[in-house]
Amino acid sequence: MRKKFSTFFTGRIKFHLTHKKSNPKESIETMEIPESSNVNSAISEIILLWTKTSIAGNIILNHDFSLGLQSWHLNCCDGHVASADSGSLQGVSAKTGANYAIIHNRKECWQGLEQDITSKVSPGATYYVSAWVGVAGSIQGATEVLATLKLEYKNSSTNYLFLGRTSVLKDRWEKLETTFSLETMPDRLVFYLEGPSPGIDILVDSVVISSSSLRSIETTNGACLTDGDENVILNPQFEDGLNNWSGRGCKIVQHDSMGDGKILPASGKFFAAATDRTQSWNGIQQEITGRVQRKLAYEMTAVVRIFGNNISTTTVQATLWVQIPNQREQYIGIANLQASDKEWVQLQGKFLLNSSPSKVVIYLEGPPPGTDILVNSLVVKHASQLPPSPRPVIENAAFGVNIIQNSNLSDNLTGWFPLGQCKLSVGIGSPHLLPPMARESLGPHGPLSGRYILVTNRTQTWMGPAQMITDNVKLYLTYQVSAWVRIGSGAPGAQNVNIALSVDNQWVNGGQVEIADHRWHEIGGSFRIEKQPSKVMVYIQGPSAGVDLMVADLHIFPVDRRARFKHLRNQTDKIRKRDVVLKFSGLDASSSFGTFVNVRQMQNSFPVGSCISRTNIDNEDFVNFFIKNFNWAVFGNELKWYWTEAQQGNLNYTDADELLDLCKKYNIDVRGHCIFWEVENTVQSWIKSLNNNDLMRAVQNRLSGLLTRYKGKFRHYDVNNEMLHGSFYQDRLGKDIRSNMFKTANQFDPSATLFVNDYHVEDGCDTRSSPEKYIQQILDLQEQGAPVGGIGIQGHIDSPVGPIVCSALDKLGILGLPIWFTELDVSSINEYIRGDDLEVMLREAFAHPAVEGIMLWGFWELFMSRENSHLVDAEGNVNEAGNRYLALKREWLSHAHGHIDDQGQFCFRGFHGTYNVEVSTFSKKINKTFIVDKDESPLVLTINL
């Protein structure tokens, strides 16, 4: 990774340009820097000078195409060199010299320009890549050009190493810069440029790959410019007193000890205390303006503890206050943890600035007033890029094999033991069929034994049958959980039954079901373990003390999730494709012979969107990825009531307006999330303080204000979010308020589809939001006249299993309403497993006829609600999960080619969406665009040639 620099200065700059075999003393250059220059501009000039002086060390032959395409190879495409003499593309002139290469007739994204550099690269050396690139052709918005290395090995597979990318607009040159280093050499090494969609030309002005390095940069007064490996924080351990630090609304004091010598620095000689704090936001701060750059990820590590006020533990938080040139303020939470008065703890987090700030301050806050925040050290550095997580190697996965011993109780209670003082015995009379969700995964199965475990003398809810499974569980496998359960008589109302796992004494949810009768009920769920445990126990718990519990045929088995994909592809072909007949007129019999048809789908019309936030759109890399890969949007917070009216009467629609403007510019449809949120801890304090009459008035004002302002601009609204998990407005204003919200919203904006929206509907792990309860809630709303038009399933899911998700969709599908996954995200430390989880969810949704749209709850690192759920890292690199998403997007585009038949027709079956057809005859080429809508009957189109 190339170094990043950031500061402001004036004067003369002196630097070393050191080549591999040169004498540093012989390679000193100087450059005059104008007053108030940003060092980034200066560095660009230095790098340009460095590049010019490094051409002799450039390992690329014919780097500026002055010899045409000599030494270059075209990878399955065509190309030529444009010059002032031979003619260049209209409006495009060379960037650095007289010539540039145009690579055209590209049929695949990977096709481009390449050069063999095998003999010119040495293992262990670092090489700096700099290429001026552009694009031309039929393109809207930005696209990406990628630099890649192809590593070929004898008697082995070919590997590809992604080096870097840059976003390019039509008719503009952009610089692609990156570095690489190889520990070992392949038999053949090829550098190439690729990336844009088929049909888009790649322009290359020049390419430099050099082992030269900028060894050091220093100003004449001796002050070093900060690079990515140095601490942004000045005086980080308070060895220079409190210089560069200040109190944020409080006092700060330097100490070498406190508490009669009981509190000493964890390292170094000193620490600082933020004292006399009267507000939770008071703390210690440092301004870091000019020392951090936008679009770079930074890691922060602080060693902290608390003191005083008789508080032993409380939250300490690191926050970034950012002011951008238009005076808008942003508060970015970096990290928080429970700090102690007994020991020093390490607070760690990451942050990224999307915009160019005019002022940046980092500070520590959080404890209640009167409690001191102690800081021993604080470090902020450019975040190191972790290598991609390897694909897990799982030997002998034994898919479908039950890891529970004596599940059918053929050996009485061998393998089982009572958790607590309850009693276990064996009964007869349980179902002989596998539960439906397990049957869907396991396929044909013999009859069950009919035996069950009867649990009596239960004096605590957690008491039940248990079994140790430590040696049977394998890391990174996804396990499906299934059983029949039943409760005894005398239960005080509905009872929750839970299959749980204790993984090193941490509770893991394996599935839940609510039981209010004396029938057998299916319970199902899933789990995965990603860190090696020392002890894993499964147990069944839940009913009230004194209520007997019955458990039959507990199955826990690893699922081959990819084995289901063939079935899902077949389902997808049935419901997401349509037969198309292209009829061609204007051709005689002789000219139709040899006429070639090439059909390419440009866009799938199925809605796949993402959550975005106002701060994201200041980052052009984020915007480019978003507009290229999504066709719907939803705002993370900017439409929520607590955002638009945090203080009563102070309305803020600016952020939502700017997000809407972006979506309108790129023809992206938008969901409105959300008008109200029923969960009490999301409701503003000023709303909670209103009496019921004023609260009703505030609700009506919210409806009229929001929906009048944005009438016709949001395709959907989540009317009252998470009504299965909260009841603030219903408790205060009565049951009718929910249906009235729907009816009033429909009156103000009849064009918007009104949704219910909730979580844990699809995964079997929350009895409050089972499909059955969701269905009943929707029916109750409809009975009260609420115009419910859609069902939102949020989709914050862990270790998804297809048949469990599909079962929920089947149940909800009986209502005949469109189902959307509205906030889909998956989480895993391992990017391959994260990709598997995402692929399961996307395929299940796309293959189900009731699902009409999918919204991801973000994709960019540091801007997700869950850890380890991103598809793109903070600096714009797509990870394995992101590649899996992009691969599915490509799979869901249809392409066909061939000759017109003797009927003058060309037939194919393709996904719904927008297509381009190119018809080539002996004398001409004709291009037409057409749309394939959703319909059961074939689409017949006549094209006049």
Side-chain angles (χ1 to χ4, degrees):
M1 174 175 292
R2 65 189 178 95
K3 300 293 185 185
K4 310 285 185 176
F5 302 84
S6 180
T7 190
F8 293 86
F9 66 95
T10 61
R12 178 170 300 213
I13 189 167
K14 179 175 68 177
F15 52 92
H16 297 287
L17 294 174
T18 308
H19 291 267
K20 201 171 185 181
K21 298 181 180 179
S22 67
N23 183 345
K25 296 181 180 179
E26 298 173 354
S27 53
I28 297 177
E29 302 284 349
T30 61
M31 179 183 294
E32 198 72 32
I33 304 301
E35 288 191 19
S36 303
S37 289
N38 187 316
V39 76
N40 294 327
S41 302
I43 296 302
S44 296
E45 294 299 320
I46 294 169
I47 291 174
L48 180 60
L49 177 60
W50 164 59
T51 301
K52 289 177 179 177
T53 63
S54 302
I55 296 302
N58 187 6
I59 67 174
I60 293 293
L61 301 177
N62 187 25
H63 76 282
D64 59 359
F65 307 100
S66 56
L67 302 176
L69 289 174
Q70 182 177 316
S71 302
W72 292 95
H73 176 69
L74 295 163
N75 195 353
C76 302
C77 53
D78 299 325
H80 67 277
V81 171
S83 66
D85 297 329
S86 64
S88 58
L89 292 174
Q90 185 175 2
V92 182
S93 57
K95 176 70 178 178
T96 61
N99 306 320
Y100 61 88
I102 303 174
I103 296 88
H104 52 87
N105 198 22
R106 299 175 59 253
K107 302 294 195 303
E108 302 289 346
C109 294
W110 50 265
Q111 294 174 352
L113 190 66
E114 65 180 38
Q115 187 170 136
D116 190 322
I117 57 173
T118 310
S119 62
K120 305 178 185 69
V121 172
S122 301
T126 298
Y127 292 86
Y128 298 81
V129 181
S130 173
W132 283 102
V133 294
V135 291
S138 178
I139 178 176
Q140 293 183 342
T143 189
E144 290 184 335
V145 176
L146 281 61
T148 306
L149 287 180
K150 179 165 62 174
L151 296 83
E152 297 180 0
Y153 299 89
K154 293 179 181 177
N155 304 319
S156 180
S157 61
T158 298
N159 294 333
Y160 295 88
L161 177 64
F162 166 75
L163 298 182
R165 62 164 59 82
T166 188
S167 293
V168 187
L169 294 170
K170 183 178 180 181
D171 300 337
R172 285 180 56 180
W173 293 106
E174 295 290 346
K175 198 171 191 179
L176 193 163
E177 294 179 288
T178 186
T179 65
F180 70 88
S181 179
L182 301 178
E183 292 185 6
T184 59
M185 282 297 295
D187 296 301
R188 184 168 182 260
L189 181 65
V190 178
F191 170 84
Y192 67 99
L193 296 168
E194 58 169 335
S197 299
I200 297 175
D201 297 346
I202 302 175
L203 314 183
V204 186
D205 178 87
S206 62
V207 181
V208 173
I209 301 180
S210 173
S211 59
S212 301
S213 61
L214 273 170
R215 292 298 303 273
S216 66
I217 299 177
E218 56 182 57
T219 60
T220 53
N221 65 6
C224 290
L225 305 181
T226 304
D227 76 15
D229 293 329
E230 294 181 2
N231 190 3
V232 166
I233 300 298
L234 304 177
N235 187 24
Q237 289 192 293
F238 310 100
E239 293 177 349
D240 192 18
L242 294 171
N243 284 341
N244 304 110
W245 295 95
S246 62
R248 190 173 183 85
C250 62
K251 294 180 181 179
I252 59 171
V253 182
Q254 184 198 44
H255 294 281
D256 57 11
S257 67
M258 283 180 70
D260 297 326
K262 295 179 181 178
I263 300 176
L264 299 172
S267 63
K269 298 179 179 179
F270 305 102
F271 58 91
T275 189
D276 291 349
R277 299 174 60 254
T278 59
Q279 303 288 334
S280 63
W281 53 266
N282 295 157
I284 185 169
Q285 65 181 5
Q286 184 172 133
E287 183 176 346
I288 56 174
T289 310
R291 303 201 297 277
V292 288
Q293 295 184 56
R294 65 184 294 257
K295 301 199 302 182
L296 284 186
Y298 290 89
E299 294 174 322
M300 182 227 66
T301 303
V303 177
V304 299
R305 68 188 292 171
I306 58 171
F307 178 78
N309 208 23
N310 293 319
I311 293 178
S312 58
T313 61
T314 189
T315 300
V316 172
Q317 176 171 318
T319 305
L320 209 65
W321 176 80
V322 181
Q323 187 176 61
I324 53 181
N326 63 5
Q327 300 303 304
R328 178 179 300 182
E329 294 181 333
Q330 296 173 353
Y331 291 88
I332 300 172
I334 302 173
N336 66 77
L337 90 171
Q338 287 295 112
S340 166
D341 67 345
K342 302 290 192 300
E343 60 183 354
W344 294 98
V345 291
Q346 196 171 76
L347 176 65
Q348 291 182 303
K350 291 173 69 175
F351 68 88
L352 176 137
L353 300 176
N354 285 305
S355 56
S356 297
S358 58
K359 191 172 184 180
V360 186
V361 175
I362 189 170
Y363 65 97
L364 300 177
E365 59 171 333
T371 303
D372 293 354
I373 302 173
L374 311 187
V375 189
N376 185 213
S377 63
L378 199 153
V379 175
V380 174
K381 290 185 177 182
H382 179 216
S384 57
Q385 279 211 329
L386 298 176
S389 50
R391 183 188 294 275
V393 177
I394 303 170
E395 298 180 355
N396 303 317
F399 293 121
V401 176
N402 191 6
I403 65 172
I404 294 297
Q405 179 188 358
N406 190 26
S407 174
N408 62 5
L409 305 177
S410 59
D411 194 14
N412 200 19
L413 289 170
T414 299
W416 296 95
F417 62 89
L419 194 62
Q421 300 302 311
C422 58
K423 292 185 178 180
L424 307 185
S425 60
V426 176
I428 297 177
S430 59
H432 288 275
L433 290 176
L434 269 177
M437 289 184 288
R439 194 159 61 241
E440 186 72 19
S441 292
L442 294 174
H445 197 280
L448 303 180
S449 68
R451 292 184 286 269
Y452 63 87
I453 298 175
L454 173 63
V455 190
T456 57
N457 293 347
R458 299 178 61 256
T459 58
Q460 301 288 336
T461 58
W462 48 265
M463 290 183 178
Q467 186 171 134
M468 301 304 300
I469 57 173
T470 310
D471 296 335
N472 300 336
V473 177
K474 295 186 176 181
L475 296 185
Y476 292 112
L477 278 178
T478 299
Y479 287 88
Q480 184 171 345
V481 180
S482 173
W484 290 111
V485 291
R486 182 181 170 186
I487 61 173
S489 59
Q495 299 292 304
N496 182 26
V497 177
N498 169 224
I499 298 177
L501 294 101
S502 174
V503 181
D504 290 338
N505 298 318
Q506 294 293 313
W507 176 76
V508 174
N509 192 349
Q512 297 188 39
V513 66
E514 187 177 85
I515 303 177
D517 54 34
H518 302 298
R519 296 181 296 113
W520 287 97
H521 289 256
E522 176 182 18
I523 184 170
S526 62
F527 71 92
R528 182 174 55 241
I529 298 174
E530 298 190 359
K531 293 182 180 179
Q532 187 63 52
S534 59
K535 184 177 71 172
V536 183
M537 176 180 70
V538 62
Y539 60 103
I540 299 89
Q541 62 168 351
S544 300
V547 177
D548 293 347
L549 173 63
M550 289 158 266
V551 182
D553 293 285
L554 174 62
H555 280 69
I556 298 179
F557 54 92
V559 182
D560 184 359
R561 297 189 294 177
R562 304 192 72 82
R564 184 174 164 84
F565 288 173
K566 181 179 179 181
H567 161 72
L568 295 177
R569 288 190 183 97
N570 291 335
Q571 285 292 104
T572 297
D573 284 351
K574 291 177 183 177
I575 66 170
R576 304 297 179 195
K577 287 184 175 181
R578 185 179 180 186
D579 290 323
V580 181
V581 180
L582 301 180
K583 290 188 173 184
F584 299 95
S585 62
L587 282 174
D588 54 36
S590 60
S591 60
S592 65
F593 176 75
T595 298
F596 189 78
V597 178
N598 187 19
V599 177
R600 298 191 67 80
Q601 187 171 8
M602 312 306 291
Q603 186 175 36
N604 191 310
S605 59
F606 184 85
V608 181
S610 175
C611 168
I612 60 174
S613 297
R614 172 58 190 85
T615 181
N616 295 144
I617 66 175
D618 292 326
N619 185 336
E620 60 273 20
D621 297 336
F622 178 98
V623 172
N624 289 339
F625 189 92
F626 170 65
I627 63 176
K628 183 178 178 181
N629 296 296
F630 300 97
N631 55 13
W632 275 68
V634 63
F635 306 160
N637 289 303
E638 288 78 358
L639 207 68
K640 291 170 181 170
W641 198 0
Y642 64 60
W643 190 278
T644 62
E645 196 176 2
Q647 303 297 324
Q648 188 173 11
N650 295 330
L651 297 176
N652 168 30
Y653 290 116
T654 303
D655 297 327
D657 289 346
E658 292 178 0
L659 287 169
L660 270 176
D661 289 343
L662 176 87
C663 293
K664 181 179 179 181
K665 178 180 178 181
Y666 293 105
N667 297 314
I668 292 173
D669 290 317
V670 190
R671 301 191 75 251
H673 176 79
C674 52
I675 305 176
F676 301 101
W677 197 343
E678 190 71 281
V679 178
E680 184 167 356
N681 63 15
T682 68
V683 178
Q684 306 95 297
S685 58
W686 70 264
I687 293 176
K688 295 178 185 177
S689 68
L690 298 175
N691 62 45
N692 287 353
N693 289 335
D694 289 340
L695 177 58
M696 180 63 81
R697 190 175 300 110
V699 166
Q700 294 301 317
N701 290 340
R702 165 69 171 170
L703 285 162
S704 61
L706 184 75
L707 281 92
T708 300
R709 179 183 183 89
Y710 293 120
K711 185 174 183 180
K713 295 184 178 181
F714 289 98
R715 295 280 303 275
H716 299 169
Y717 279 106
D718 296 328
V719 176
N720 191 5
N721 199 36
E722 298 174 2
M723 292 185 287
L724 291 171
H725 290 89
S727 58
F728 171 78
Y729 295 101
Q730 180 172 268
D731 292 345
R732 290 286 304 274
L733 301 175
K735 183 179 180 181
D736 291 343
I737 188 60
R738 291 179 169 180
S739 60
N740 287 337
M741 287 173 174
F742 276 84
K743 288 184 277 191
T744 306
N746 180 249
Q747 291 169 4
F748 282 116
D749 191 352
S751 67
T753 303
L754 305 181
F755 275 70
V756 292
N757 192 50
D758 230 303
Y759 61 92
H760 285 330
V761 178
E762 76 288 0
D763 55 14
C765 72
D766 188 345
T767 58
R768 295 171 297 176
S769 52
S770 66
E772 292 79 7
K773 286 191 175 181
Y774 211 12
I775 290 168
Q776 191 58 55
Q777 181 183 86
I778 294 166
L779 292 174
D780 289 345
L781 286 167
Q782 290 176 330
E783 188 176 331
Q784 297 172 60
V788 180
I791 303 171
I793 300 175
Q794 291 183 9
H796 303 293
I797 192 169
D798 292 307
S799 54
V801 170
I804 295 176
V805 175
C806 185
S807 173
L809 295 174
D810 288 345
K811 292 172 182 176
L812 293 168
I814 65 170
L815 293 174
L817 295 172
I819 298 172
W820 280 58
F821 280 96
T822 55
E823 304 178 19
L824 176 62
D825 58 21
V826 295
S827 176
S828 173
I829 297 171
N830 187 283
E831 295 170 5
Y832 286 90
I833 299 298
R834 194 186 314 161
D836 289 345
D837 286 352
L838 183 63
E839 185 171 0
V840 166
M841 292 303 296
L842 292 175
R843 287 194 183 279
E844 289 291 341
F846 198 52
H848 200 283
V851 176
E852 296 191 7
I854 304 167
M855 304 294 296
L856 302 189
W857 202 241
F859 57 88
W860 201 272
E861 186 187 15
L862 302 183
F863 298 94
M864 309 280 293
S865 62
R866 299 173 72 192
E867 291 287 328
N868 301 312
S869 58
H870 58 279
L871 312 185
V872 182
D873 75 14
E875 295 184 359
N877 301 301
V878 180
N879 60 29
E880 175 59 29
N883 286 329
R884 199 78 62 88
Y885 169 76
L886 296 177
L888 282 174
K889 292 278 288 183
R890 291 192 295 270
E891 180 183 321
W892 295 337
L893 292 175
S894 297
H895 307 300
H897 59 83
H899 293 278
I900 294 176
D901 64 21
D902 53 11
Q903 313 283 300
Q905 298 181 164
F906 182 79
C907 303
F908 72 98
R909 182 171 176 82
F911 289 106
H912 310 135
T914 304
Y915 286 79
N916 176 266
V917 57
E918 181 182 81
V919 185
S920 302
T921 69
F922 289 119
S923 60
K924 59 184 176 181
K925 285 186 178 181
I926 295 174
N927 283 277
K928 299 283 186 182
T929 299
F930 62 92
I931 294 175
V932 177
D933 292 318
K934 184 176 181 179
D935 202 299
E936 296 294 327
S937 61
L939 174 66
V940 180
L941 294 171
T942 300
I943 298 177
N944 189 351
L945 299 179

